[in-house]
Structure formats: C-alpha cells, structure tokens
Amino acid sequence: MGKFFERFPDPLARLIVVFLAMLVVGLFVVIVLIPKPMKDVQMQWADAVKREQARPVKYAGFRSCGECHDALYETKKTGYHRDLSCETCHGPAKGHTEDPDNVKPVIPVERAFCPQCHAYDPSRPRGFPMINPVVHNPLKSCASCHNPHDPKPPTTPRECSACHGEIARTKAVSHHVQLECTTCHKTPQQHKVSPRAVKPTKPQTREFCGKCHGKEGKDRMAKNAPKIDLAEHGEKYVCWQCHYPHSPEVEQ
C-alpha cells in the first residue's frame, strides 16, 4: 500500500487517504447506523399508508351534500361554481353528515374568502371575474350581492352602457350594483333615438328610496340597506340631491 501512494505527489496521496477514510465512514453509517426501515422504500410506503388510514375522515364528498341539499346541488351543478366541491367553501362536512342537527357546516361570510380566487391577478385567464376587494363594495360580504351557488356577475344592459359607460363602471363597484337601471329610471323608447330630447325619468319622491332605506323599508333588496328616518333625514330634499345614487357612500 505504501508503494502505491509513492506513485502520487504527497498532496494527492493525502487527498486519496482522506477520501478513502470518508468512504469507509459513510459505508459504516449507511450499513450499521441507519435503521433498516429508513432504507426500505416498501416499508416506508406501508408506514405512510397506515398513517393516512389512521387519520379521521373529515370530508364527506359532494354527493353526500346532494342527498339533503338537492335544490342547492342542482343549482350549483349548472352554474359557474359547478366544478367546485361544496366542501371547498363550507369546509370538511363528514361530521355534519353524521350529526346534521348539532354539527353545522362553515358558511364563509368574511370578505377575505372569495378574493382568494376573485382578487385581481393578471395570471388568471381572460374573462375570469376578478375584483379589487378594497374598492369593490368593501363593507359587504360577497354573498349579500352574489348567490354563491349560482353566481352571475351583475351587468348593465348594452343599450345603457353604450352611452353611459362611466356610470355603468361606477355602479359596478357600488352598493347599487345589483339594481337594474330601470329600477330607478323609466326610459322611453324614444330616448334611444333622441337621447337629448327625451330623457329618462328620475325618482321624484323621497319615498322611492325609502322603499329600501326607510326605517320601515320592506323591499326585497332592503335587508342590508342602510336605514334612515325619512321624517328627520334631509326632509327638504329628494335623496339624489345629496347622495350620488350610482355610487352612494359606503359608510353605514
């Protein structure tokens, strides 16, 4: 062995000795010190399968939801959210299926939930509905305007937006996004032909806005609307003389 190393320069000989020493130590560690289960892939797979099988089952699967919530299941099946499992939004539902009276599924009402998918992200496909959650109806939960089981983005008719595009864009991010233009305006057919000569109507009474915003407002869309006392709140004016109706204030 000594004559073997004499063939090499001293630095190279020392390097070979160090390499051989490290090789011996490595083989010792691998062969002697590392336990067999850590080297046997089949044994590791078997252990992993056992661990996963021992975990409690938390998810019930979307078909289980449809057994009781068939109407919602049918609604969602044809909507934009048809590819989402119910448990994507409502969380693991195995406990709910086993004890529906005492274990309720999660209902996501926080505004931070939906923007996980719908916040503006340029990497998402063209046409995917995206919003800026800071300015898009910031005080409302998404479900107060959108049916999560069949979401349909509110739209402004083209015959309105063609000329009133700025208003359409403003209304699209306001509290009034769900209102049709004709909810507040009666538009004669002639307005489309002679828009300056024939104007659409505007609400002329305080009671019109009071249907939603009055203390006793019972309109179907009045549930979450800010309420005022019509007798004491700006009694001399029609509402739109103080409030811009296409983008009303967000404070409540």
Side-chain angles (χ1 to χ4, degrees):
M1 183 63 75
K3 292 183 179 180
F4 174 76
F5 288 108
E6 290 176 357
R7 300 178 184 177
F8 306 102
D10 287 346
L12 181 57
R14 286 194 292 271
L15 183 61
I16 292 175
V17 171
V18 171
F19 174 77
L20 291 175
M22 293 178 64
L23 179 62
V24 171
V25 171
L27 290 174
F28 176 78
V29 170
V30 171
I31 297 173
V32 178
L33 297 184
I34 296 180
K36 186 177 178 181
M38 294 183 65
K39 296 180 290 186
D40 190 331
V41 175
Q42 295 295 334
M43 192 176 295
Q44 293 176 16
W45 284 355
D47 290 343
V49 170
K50 287 181 181 178
R51 284 197 302 272
E52 293 302 318
Q53 290 178 336
R55 290 186 178 186
V57 177
K58 297 190 295 182
Y59 291 90
F62 69 96
R63 297 188 188 282
S64 300
C65 304
E67 293 176 2
C68 295
H69 306 284
D70 52 339
L72 293 176
Y73 179 80
E74 291 299 323
T75 299
K76 190 180 78 66
K77 191 168 66 174
T78 57
Y80 286 106
H81 283 173
R82 57 185 175 275
D83 295 327
L84 290 181
S85 169
C86 305
E87 291 167 300
T88 301
C89 299
H90 294 290
K94 181 69 173 176
H96 175 62
T97 59
E98 295 174 346
D99 187 4
D101 291 331
N102 296 315
V103 180
K104 301 297 182 183
V106 174
I107 298 178
V109 295
E110 299 82 8
R111 282 185 55 83
F113 184 80
C114 299
Q116 293 181 60
C117 293
H118 292 289
Y120 178 73
D121 184 342
S123 67
R124 292 195 169 111
R126 178 180 294 181
F128 187 86
M130 293 182 283
I131 60 155
N132 181 344
V134 176
V135 300
H136 183 87
N137 246 342
L139 298 183
K140 295 285 189 181
S141 67
C142 302
S144 65
C145 293
H146 305 276
N147 179 357
H149 299 110
D150 186 21
K152 292 177 180 175
T155 58
T156 299
R158 288 185 178 180
E159 53 266 38
C160 298
S161 62
C163 296
H164 306 287
E166 184 174 350
I167 291 176
R169 289 190 291 273
T170 301
K171 190 172 78 69
V173 296
S174 80
H175 286 289
H176 284 172
V177 63
Q178 289 290 82
L179 297 181
E180 301 287 346
C181 301
T182 52
T183 302
C184 303
H185 303 287
K186 291 182 180 178
T187 308
Q189 190 67 21
Q190 193 63 22
H191 174 64
K192 300 176 184 176
V193 180
S194 304
R196 297 188 182 278
V198 181
K199 303 284 187 180
T201 65
K202 295 179 180 179
Q204 296 299 316
T205 65
R206 293 160 48 75
E207 287 70 24
F208 181 86
C209 297
K211 290 188 296 184
C212 290
H213 297 289
K215 289 175 64 176
E216 306 299 328
K218 296 180 179 178
D219 191 274
R220 65 181 179 84
M221 301 192 69
K223 181 179 178 181
N224 297 312
K227 306 296 183 186
I228 53 114
D229 186 345
L230 287 174
E232 298 180 356
H233 184 87
E235 64 274 12
K236 296 180 181 178
Y237 303 96
V238 179
C239 303
W240 52 259
Q241 290 179 296
C242 298
H243 303 276
Y244 182 53
H246 300 119
S247 181
E249 298 87 342
V250 297
E251 294 81 5
Q252 297 186 28

